[in-house]
Amino acid sequence: ESVRQLRLQSRVTIEIEDDEAITDSLRTQIEDDEIERAKLVYGALGLIDADANLRDMFAGVLGEQVIGYYDPDNGRLVIRDDVMAGLAGAFGPEQAQEARLVLVHELVHALQDQRLGLGESYDEERTADADNAFRAVVEGDATLAMLAHALRQQGIPLSAATAGIQQMGDYVDLDALVRGEKLDDAPAILRVTLVAPYLRGLQFVAALQGRGGWPAVNNAHRRPPETSEQVLHPEKYFAREPGERVQVSDTRGLLAAGFNRIEEDTLGELELGVYLGQDEPSGIDEQAAAGWAGDQLVVYQRGDETGVVWWTTWDSETDAQEAFAAAREVSPKDSGAGTERKGRSVLIIRGIPHRLHRA
């Protein structure tokens, strides 16, 4: 409460569970429609194996990563048993400090729920892009408060860390915040979207806090960034630069050929960077994705066939040329795939017969 400058309105009860119980709880929270959407969208893009057991994959990664969580649906704060044992001093002072930071992080989520409407915000409908941006505020806030707590114990003001976003790594090993064997083995689209709210969110919220203190962070909960671009480039959030609205219309040729529109979404700069970075060791090409202006992805189905039409726009023709080159590099070498550029627009097609591409 002292670090985050918010007061809890009611006492938070902490429940202690082992890793198996936490994994089971998280498994039940993964909704069927989320699994089906992931299979459709990311399977069609070649970013995941659509035949894999995604529920087990997601649950395994989350079970490895989650050592505590706050559920705004019911106000439950759950901490893993070994963390609480560390807090009690079972493993030494260093582990006790780490456990204390975990608890700080989760208690900030309780503050967000009680004072900033986290529960109501979670229930809002968002595109994939807007959801990545929203989660960056939630997790970035809690991670920065955790860092502020650690710095305070060392007598270091938070302003020393937020003065320059590029200096965040001087005070905390950002990559060490989220790591693990199952996470490392997970597809890049899962790995990046799981890690980004913490690491990129931390840097984004640090920019807010450094500019306007914790009230600026509170305002970001009430009016979150609309796009992952605004998170990755905080100056675009300060300028309230919106994403361009892109609308893909069905063509007679596609409909006549028996393709039905079954899913549509805006994936944004973060996830587009994963698609363009399939050949990168990190799993993301941030440079090629920078300059994103807007996108809409539409998934079509015809029997067992699944196709994608993904229309993207860019800030300049130079940005579009760079994205076009990266998209061609990762495009499958088959007749159902194609990449086109015209001005600031880049069109990505997968799983659609070549004769329908011109239309």
PDB file of all heavy atoms in Angstrom, residues 46-76:
ATOM      1  N   GLY A  46       0.431 -20.996 -39.002  1.00  0.00           N
ATOM      2  CA  GLY A  46       1.609 -21.833 -38.876  1.00  0.00           C
ATOM      3  C   GLY A  46       2.426 -21.556 -37.632  1.00  0.00           C
ATOM      4  O   GLY A  46       3.580 -21.981 -37.530  1.00  0.00           O
ATOM      5  N   LEU A  47       1.839 -20.872 -36.654  1.00  0.00           N
ATOM      6  CA  LEU A  47       2.574 -20.509 -35.444  1.00  0.00           C
ATOM      7  C   LEU A  47       2.457 -21.566 -34.344  1.00  0.00           C
ATOM      8  O   LEU A  47       3.240 -21.557 -33.395  1.00  0.00           O
ATOM      9  CB  LEU A  47       2.089 -19.155 -34.918  1.00  0.00           C
ATOM     10  CG  LEU A  47       2.332 -17.971 -35.857  1.00  0.00           C
ATOM     11  CD1 LEU A  47       1.751 -16.689 -35.259  1.00  0.00           C
ATOM     12  CD2 LEU A  47       3.805 -17.798 -36.151  1.00  0.00           C
ATOM     13  N   ILE A  48       1.463 -22.448 -34.466  1.00  0.00           N
ATOM     14  CA  ILE A  48       1.337 -23.570 -33.538  1.00  0.00           C
ATOM     15  C   ILE A  48       0.890 -24.794 -34.319  1.00  0.00           C
ATOM     16  O   ILE A  48       0.368 -24.683 -35.437  1.00  0.00           O
ATOM     17  CB  ILE A  48       0.321 -23.305 -32.395  1.00  0.00           C
ATOM     18  CG1 ILE A  48      -1.080 -23.085 -32.969  1.00  0.00           C
ATOM     19  CG2 ILE A  48       0.744 -22.150 -31.515  1.00  0.00           C
ATOM     20  CD1 ILE A  48      -2.153 -23.048 -31.928  1.00  0.00           C
ATOM     21  N   ASP A  49       1.088 -25.949 -33.731  1.00  0.00           N
ATOM     22  CA  ASP A  49       0.577 -27.193 -34.289  1.00  0.00           C
ATOM     23  C   ASP A  49      -0.873 -27.331 -33.845  1.00  0.00           C
ATOM     24  O   ASP A  49      -1.144 -27.550 -32.652  1.00  0.00           O
ATOM     25  CB  ASP A  49       1.425 -28.375 -33.797  1.00  0.00           C
ATOM     26  CG  ASP A  49       0.913 -29.720 -34.310  1.00  0.00           C
ATOM     27  OD1 ASP A  49      -0.084 -29.738 -35.057  1.00  0.00           O
ATOM     28  OD2 ASP A  49       1.509 -30.746 -33.950  1.00  0.00           O
ATOM     29  N   ALA A  50      -1.783 -27.160 -34.774  1.00  0.00           N
ATOM     30  CA  ALA A  50      -3.210 -27.179 -34.426  1.00  0.00           C
ATOM     31  C   ALA A  50      -3.667 -28.527 -33.896  1.00  0.00           C
ATOM     32  O   ALA A  50      -4.721 -28.623 -33.267  1.00  0.00           O
ATOM     33  CB  ALA A  50      -4.050 -26.786 -35.636  1.00  0.00           C
ATOM     34  N   ASP A  51      -2.884 -29.584 -34.135  1.00  0.00           N
ATOM     35  CA  ASP A  51      -3.261 -30.914 -33.654  1.00  0.00           C
ATOM     36  C   ASP A  51      -2.722 -31.199 -32.253  1.00  0.00           C
ATOM     37  O   ASP A  51      -3.043 -32.240 -31.663  1.00  0.00           O
ATOM     38  CB  ASP A  51      -2.740 -31.985 -34.621  1.00  0.00           C
ATOM     39  CG  ASP A  51      -3.414 -31.921 -35.982  1.00  0.00           C
ATOM     40  OD1 ASP A  51      -4.602 -31.541 -36.017  1.00  0.00           O
ATOM     41  OD2 ASP A  51      -2.743 -32.208 -36.990  1.00  0.00           O
ATOM     42  N   ALA A  52      -1.898 -30.306 -31.725  1.00  0.00           N
ATOM     43  CA  ALA A  52      -1.329 -30.513 -30.393  1.00  0.00           C
ATOM     44  C   ALA A  52      -2.400 -30.321 -29.319  1.00  0.00           C
ATOM     45  O   ALA A  52      -3.425 -29.671 -29.550  1.00  0.00           O
ATOM     46  CB  ALA A  52      -0.176 -29.554 -30.158  1.00  0.00           C
ATOM     47  N   ASN A  53      -2.163 -30.892 -28.150  1.00  0.00           N
ATOM     48  CA  ASN A  53      -3.080 -30.697 -27.026  1.00  0.00           C
ATOM     49  C   ASN A  53      -2.748 -29.347 -26.393  1.00  0.00           C
ATOM     50  O   ASN A  53      -1.884 -29.248 -25.520  1.00  0.00           O
ATOM     51  CB  ASN A  53      -2.917 -31.828 -26.006  1.00  0.00           C
ATOM     52  CG  ASN A  53      -3.993 -31.773 -24.928  1.00  0.00           C
ATOM     53  OD1 ASN A  53      -4.400 -30.703 -24.498  1.00  0.00           O
ATOM     54  ND2 ASN A  53      -4.444 -32.934 -24.488  1.00  0.00           N
ATOM     55  N   LEU A  54      -3.431 -28.308 -26.887  1.00  0.00           N
ATOM     56  CA  LEU A  54      -3.093 -26.953 -26.454  1.00  0.00           C
ATOM     57  C   LEU A  54      -3.438 -26.715 -24.989  1.00  0.00           C
ATOM     58  O   LEU A  54      -2.744 -25.960 -24.306  1.00  0.00           O
ATOM     59  CB  LEU A  54      -3.815 -25.931 -27.342  1.00  0.00           C
ATOM     60  CG  LEU A  54      -3.444 -25.932 -28.823  1.00  0.00           C
ATOM     61  CD1 LEU A  54      -4.094 -24.764 -29.526  1.00  0.00           C
ATOM     62  CD2 LEU A  54      -1.935 -25.891 -29.009  1.00  0.00           C
ATOM     63  N   ARG A  55      -4.498 -27.341 -24.510  1.00  0.00           N
ATOM     64  CA  ARG A  55      -4.854 -27.153 -23.104  1.00  0.00           C
ATOM     65  C   ARG A  55      -3.734 -27.642 -22.192  1.00  0.00           C
ATOM     66  O   ARG A  55      -3.342 -26.964 -21.240  1.00  0.00           O
ATOM     67  CB  ARG A  55      -6.163 -27.868 -22.769  1.00  0.00           C
ATOM     68  CG  ARG A  55      -6.635 -27.650 -21.328  1.00  0.00           C
ATOM     69  CD  ARG A  55      -7.968 -28.316 -21.080  1.00  0.00           C
ATOM     70  NE  ARG A  55      -9.028 -27.723 -21.869  1.00  0.00           N
ATOM     71  CZ  ARG A  55      -9.693 -26.623 -21.514  1.00  0.00           C
ATOM     72  NH1 ARG A  55      -9.380 -26.002 -20.378  1.00  0.00           N
ATOM     73  NH2 ARG A  55     -10.653 -26.140 -22.270  1.00  0.00           N
ATOM     74  N   ASP A  56      -3.194 -28.831 -22.491  1.00  0.00           N
ATOM     75  CA  ASP A  56      -2.094 -29.354 -21.692  1.00  0.00           C
ATOM     76  C   ASP A  56      -0.845 -28.479 -21.833  1.00  0.00           C
ATOM     77  O   ASP A  56      -0.115 -28.253 -20.861  1.00  0.00           O
ATOM     78  CB  ASP A  56      -1.761 -30.784 -22.107  1.00  0.00           C
ATOM     79  CG  ASP A  56      -2.780 -31.795 -21.583  1.00  0.00           C
ATOM     80  OD1 ASP A  56      -3.618 -31.404 -20.744  1.00  0.00           O
ATOM     81  OD2 ASP A  56      -2.736 -32.957 -22.023  1.00  0.00           O
ATOM     82  N   MET A  57      -0.605 -27.981 -23.060  1.00  0.00           N
ATOM     83  CA  MET A  57       0.557 -27.123 -23.281  1.00  0.00           C
ATOM     84  C   MET A  57       0.440 -25.832 -22.483  1.00  0.00           C
ATOM     85  O   MET A  57       1.360 -25.431 -21.775  1.00  0.00           O
ATOM     86  CB  MET A  57       0.698 -26.785 -24.770  1.00  0.00           C
ATOM     87  CG  MET A  57       1.905 -25.906 -25.098  1.00  0.00           C
ATOM     88  SD  MET A  57       1.809 -25.174 -26.744  1.00  0.00           S
ATOM     89  CE  MET A  57       1.695 -26.641 -27.765  1.00  0.00           C
ATOM     90  N   PHE A  58      -0.724 -25.178 -22.587  1.00  0.00           N
ATOM     91  CA  PHE A  58      -0.932 -23.935 -21.855  1.00  0.00           C
ATOM     92  C   PHE A  58      -0.832 -24.162 -20.350  1.00  0.00           C
ATOM     93  O   PHE A  58      -0.177 -23.401 -19.634  1.00  0.00           O
ATOM     94  CB  PHE A  58      -2.309 -23.334 -22.186  1.00  0.00           C
ATOM     95  CG  PHE A  58      -2.442 -22.821 -23.593  1.00  0.00           C
ATOM     96  CD1 PHE A  58      -3.666 -22.426 -24.086  1.00  0.00           C
ATOM     97  CD2 PHE A  58      -1.347 -22.731 -24.428  1.00  0.00           C
ATOM     98  CE1 PHE A  58      -3.805 -21.948 -25.382  1.00  0.00           C
ATOM     99  CE2 PHE A  58      -1.468 -22.268 -25.731  1.00  0.00           C
ATOM    100  CZ  PHE A  58      -2.703 -21.875 -26.209  1.00  0.00           C
ATOM    101  N   ALA A  59      -1.507 -25.226 -19.876  1.00  0.00           N
ATOM    102  CA  ALA A  59      -1.514 -25.514 -18.439  1.00  0.00           C
ATOM    103  C   ALA A  59      -0.108 -25.833 -17.949  1.00  0.00           C
ATOM    104  O   ALA A  59       0.284 -25.427 -16.840  1.00  0.00           O
ATOM    105  CB  ALA A  59      -2.465 -26.668 -18.133  1.00  0.00           C
ATOM    106  N   GLY A  60       0.669 -26.553 -18.748  1.00  0.00           N
ATOM    107  CA  GLY A  60       2.029 -26.893 -18.350  1.00  0.00           C
ATOM    108  C   GLY A  60       2.910 -25.675 -18.205  1.00  0.00           C
ATOM    109  O   GLY A  60       3.653 -25.543 -17.225  1.00  0.00           O
ATOM    110  N   VAL A  61       2.817 -24.755 -19.179  1.00  0.00           N
ATOM    111  CA  VAL A  61       3.620 -23.531 -19.114  1.00  0.00           C
ATOM    112  C   VAL A  61       3.185 -22.667 -17.936  1.00  0.00           C
ATOM    113  O   VAL A  61       4.012 -22.161 -17.171  1.00  0.00           O
ATOM    114  CB  VAL A  61       3.510 -22.742 -20.434  1.00  0.00           C
ATOM    115  CG1 VAL A  61       4.167 -21.381 -20.290  1.00  0.00           C
ATOM    116  CG2 VAL A  61       4.153 -23.517 -21.575  1.00  0.00           C
ATOM    117  N   LEU A  62       1.867 -22.505 -17.774  1.00  0.00           N
ATOM    118  CA  LEU A  62       1.375 -21.681 -16.672  1.00  0.00           C
ATOM    119  C   LEU A  62       1.716 -22.307 -15.325  1.00  0.00           C
ATOM    120  O   LEU A  62       2.097 -21.604 -14.375  1.00  0.00           O
ATOM    121  CB  LEU A  62      -0.138 -21.493 -16.795  1.00  0.00           C
ATOM    122  CG  LEU A  62      -0.610 -20.625 -17.970  1.00  0.00           C
ATOM    123  CD1 LEU A  62      -2.125 -20.649 -18.073  1.00  0.00           C
ATOM    124  CD2 LEU A  62      -0.109 -19.194 -17.830  1.00  0.00           C
ATOM    125  N   GLY A  63       1.581 -23.647 -15.221  1.00  0.00           N
ATOM    126  CA  GLY A  63       1.907 -24.321 -13.969  1.00  0.00           C
ATOM    127  C   GLY A  63       3.359 -24.141 -13.589  1.00  0.00           C
ATOM    128  O   GLY A  63       3.710 -24.053 -12.404  1.00  0.00           O
ATOM    129  N   GLU A  64       4.242 -24.075 -14.592  1.00  0.00           N
ATOM    130  CA  GLU A  64       5.664 -23.854 -14.337  1.00  0.00           C
ATOM    131  C   GLU A  64       5.932 -22.414 -13.923  1.00  0.00           C
ATOM    132  O   GLU A  64       6.760 -22.148 -13.053  1.00  0.00           O
ATOM    133  CB  GLU A  64       6.452 -24.182 -15.608  1.00  0.00           C
ATOM    134  CG  GLU A  64       7.928 -23.844 -15.542  1.00  0.00           C
ATOM    135  CD  GLU A  64       8.597 -24.013 -16.892  1.00  0.00           C
ATOM    136  OE1 GLU A  64       8.355 -23.187 -17.799  1.00  0.00           O
ATOM    137  OE2 GLU A  64       9.359 -24.986 -17.045  1.00  0.00           O
ATOM    138  N   GLN A  65       5.213 -21.472 -14.540  1.00  0.00           N
ATOM    139  CA  GLN A  65       5.511 -20.055 -14.354  1.00  0.00           C
ATOM    140  C   GLN A  65       4.813 -19.436 -13.136  1.00  0.00           C
ATOM    141  O   GLN A  65       5.359 -18.556 -12.487  1.00  0.00           O
ATOM    142  CB  GLN A  65       5.110 -19.259 -15.609  1.00  0.00           C
ATOM    143  CG  GLN A  65       5.941 -19.583 -16.833  1.00  0.00           C
ATOM    144  CD  GLN A  65       7.395 -19.252 -16.632  1.00  0.00           C
ATOM    145  OE1 GLN A  65       7.744 -18.164 -16.178  1.00  0.00           O
ATOM    146  NE2 GLN A  65       8.270 -20.189 -16.943  1.00  0.00           N
ATOM    147  N   VAL A  66       3.592 -19.888 -12.873  1.00  0.00           N
ATOM    148  CA  VAL A  66       2.771 -19.211 -11.866  1.00  0.00           C
ATOM    149  C   VAL A  66       3.111 -19.710 -10.465  1.00  0.00           C
ATOM    150  O   VAL A  66       2.905 -20.882 -10.144  1.00  0.00           O
ATOM    151  CB  VAL A  66       1.275 -19.418 -12.169  1.00  0.00           C
ATOM    152  CG1 VAL A  66       0.424 -18.817 -11.051  1.00  0.00           C
ATOM    153  CG2 VAL A  66       0.916 -18.783 -13.504  1.00  0.00           C
ATOM    154  N   ILE A  67       3.651 -18.833  -9.652  1.00  0.00           N
ATOM    155  CA  ILE A  67       3.931 -19.179  -8.259  1.00  0.00           C
ATOM    156  C   ILE A  67       2.960 -18.462  -7.317  1.00  0.00           C
ATOM    157  O   ILE A  67       3.027 -18.608  -6.111  1.00  0.00           O
ATOM    158  CB  ILE A  67       5.393 -18.854  -7.877  1.00  0.00           C
ATOM    159  CG1 ILE A  67       5.730 -17.405  -8.217  1.00  0.00           C
ATOM    160  CG2 ILE A  67       6.346 -19.799  -8.595  1.00  0.00           C
ATOM    161  CD1 ILE A  67       7.152 -17.015  -7.866  1.00  0.00           C
ATOM    162  N   GLY A  68       2.064 -17.718  -7.939  1.00  0.00           N
ATOM    163  CA  GLY A  68       1.005 -17.061  -7.196  1.00  0.00           C
ATOM    164  C   GLY A  68       0.084 -16.384  -8.190  1.00  0.00           C
ATOM    165  O   GLY A  68       0.514 -16.035  -9.292  1.00  0.00           O
ATOM    166  N   TYR A  69      -1.173 -16.236  -7.835  1.00  0.00           N
ATOM    167  CA  TYR A  69      -2.077 -15.516  -8.734  1.00  0.00           C
ATOM    168  C   TYR A  69      -3.230 -14.925  -7.944  1.00  0.00           C
ATOM    169  O   TYR A  69      -3.576 -15.394  -6.858  1.00  0.00           O
ATOM    170  CB  TYR A  69      -2.600 -16.422  -9.857  1.00  0.00           C
ATOM    171  CG  TYR A  69      -3.530 -17.532  -9.417  1.00  0.00           C
ATOM    172  CD1 TYR A  69      -4.912 -17.322  -9.316  1.00  0.00           C
ATOM    173  CD2 TYR A  69      -3.036 -18.797  -9.122  1.00  0.00           C
ATOM    174  CE1 TYR A  69      -5.762 -18.337  -8.923  1.00  0.00           C
ATOM    175  CE2 TYR A  69      -3.884 -19.827  -8.729  1.00  0.00           C
ATOM    176  CZ  TYR A  69      -5.251 -19.583  -8.638  1.00  0.00           C
ATOM    177  OH  TYR A  69      -6.100 -20.591  -8.243  1.00  0.00           O
ATOM    178  N   TYR A  70      -3.795 -13.876  -8.525  1.00  0.00           N
ATOM    179  CA  TYR A  70      -4.985 -13.243  -7.956  1.00  0.00           C
ATOM    180  C   TYR A  70      -6.102 -13.373  -8.972  1.00  0.00           C
ATOM    181  O   TYR A  70      -5.927 -13.041 -10.146  1.00  0.00           O
ATOM    182  CB  TYR A  70      -4.737 -11.771  -7.643  1.00  0.00           C
ATOM    183  CG  TYR A  70      -5.960 -11.082  -7.075  1.00  0.00           C
ATOM    184  CD1 TYR A  70      -6.273 -11.190  -5.729  1.00  0.00           C
ATOM    185  CD2 TYR A  70      -6.817 -10.351  -7.900  1.00  0.00           C
ATOM    186  CE1 TYR A  70      -7.407 -10.584  -5.207  1.00  0.00           C
ATOM    187  CE2 TYR A  70      -7.953  -9.743  -7.388  1.00  0.00           C
ATOM    188  CZ  TYR A  70      -8.246  -9.866  -6.044  1.00  0.00           C
ATOM    189  OH  TYR A  70      -9.363  -9.277  -5.528  1.00  0.00           O
ATOM    190  N   ASP A  71      -7.241 -13.887  -8.533  1.00  0.00           N
ATOM    191  CA  ASP A  71      -8.388 -14.085  -9.411  1.00  0.00           C
ATOM    192  C   ASP A  71      -9.428 -13.007  -9.118  1.00  0.00           C
ATOM    193  O   ASP A  71     -10.094 -13.055  -8.080  1.00  0.00           O
ATOM    194  CB  ASP A  71      -8.986 -15.479  -9.189  1.00  0.00           C
ATOM    195  CG  ASP A  71     -10.083 -15.812 -10.195  1.00  0.00           C
ATOM    196  OD1 ASP A  71     -10.540 -14.890 -10.887  1.00  0.00           O
ATOM    197  OD2 ASP A  71     -10.473 -16.989 -10.274  1.00  0.00           O
ATOM    198  N   PRO A  72      -9.592 -12.014 -10.016  1.00  0.00           N
ATOM    199  CA  PRO A  72     -10.552 -10.938  -9.741  1.00  0.00           C
ATOM    200  C   PRO A  72     -12.004 -11.389  -9.779  1.00  0.00           C
ATOM    201  O   PRO A  72     -12.877 -10.671  -9.286  1.00  0.00           O
ATOM    202  CB  PRO A  72     -10.259  -9.923 -10.863  1.00  0.00           C
ATOM    203  CG  PRO A  72      -9.630 -10.716 -11.947  1.00  0.00           C
ATOM    204  CD  PRO A  72      -8.863 -11.817 -11.274  1.00  0.00           C
ATOM    205  N   ASP A  73     -12.264 -12.579 -10.340  1.00  0.00           N
ATOM    206  CA  ASP A  73     -13.647 -13.056 -10.378  1.00  0.00           C
ATOM    207  C   ASP A  73     -14.170 -13.369  -8.982  1.00  0.00           C
ATOM    208  O   ASP A  73     -15.362 -13.222  -8.705  1.00  0.00           O
ATOM    209  CB  ASP A  73     -13.755 -14.317 -11.246  1.00  0.00           C
ATOM    210  CG  ASP A  73     -13.658 -13.987 -12.732  1.00  0.00           C
ATOM    211  OD1 ASP A  73     -13.917 -12.826 -13.099  1.00  0.00           O
ATOM    212  OD2 ASP A  73     -13.322 -14.892 -13.516  1.00  0.00           O
ATOM    213  N   ASN A  74     -13.267 -13.824  -8.090  1.00  0.00           N
ATOM    214  CA  ASN A  74     -13.723 -14.195  -6.750  1.00  0.00           C
ATOM    215  C   ASN A  74     -12.851 -13.631  -5.631  1.00  0.00           C
ATOM    216  O   ASN A  74     -13.074 -13.921  -4.456  1.00  0.00           O
ATOM    217  CB  ASN A  74     -13.785 -15.728  -6.623  1.00  0.00           C
ATOM    218  CG  ASN A  74     -12.493 -16.391  -7.083  1.00  0.00           C
ATOM    219  OD1 ASN A  74     -11.412 -15.828  -6.942  1.00  0.00           O
ATOM    220  ND2 ASN A  74     -12.605 -17.601  -7.630  1.00  0.00           N
ATOM    221  N   GLY A  75     -11.865 -12.804  -5.994  1.00  0.00           N
ATOM    222  CA  GLY A  75     -11.014 -12.189  -4.980  1.00  0.00           C
ATOM    223  C   GLY A  75     -10.040 -13.148  -4.315  1.00  0.00           C
ATOM    224  O   GLY A  75      -9.494 -12.839  -3.252  1.00  0.00           O
ATOM    225  N   ARG A  76      -9.792 -14.320  -4.933  1.00  0.00           N
ATOM    226  CA  ARG A  76      -8.860 -15.297  -4.351  1.00  0.00           C
ATOM    227  C   ARG A  76      -7.421 -14.895  -4.660  1.00  0.00           C
ATOM    228  O   ARG A  76      -7.074 -14.608  -5.799  1.00  0.00           O
ATOM    229  CB  ARG A  76      -9.102 -16.703  -4.914  1.00  0.00           C
ATOM    230  CG  ARG A  76     -10.391 -17.356  -4.512  1.00  0.00           C
ATOM    231  CD  ARG A  76     -10.456 -18.775  -5.088  1.00  0.00           C
ATOM    232  NE  ARG A  76      -9.535 -19.686  -4.421  1.00  0.00           N
ATOM    233  CZ  ARG A  76      -8.793 -20.589  -5.056  1.00  0.00           C
ATOM    234  NH1 ARG A  76      -8.820 -20.682  -6.364  1.00  0.00           N
ATOM    235  NH2 ARG A  76      -8.007 -21.390  -4.373  1.00  0.00           N
TER     236      ARG A  76
END
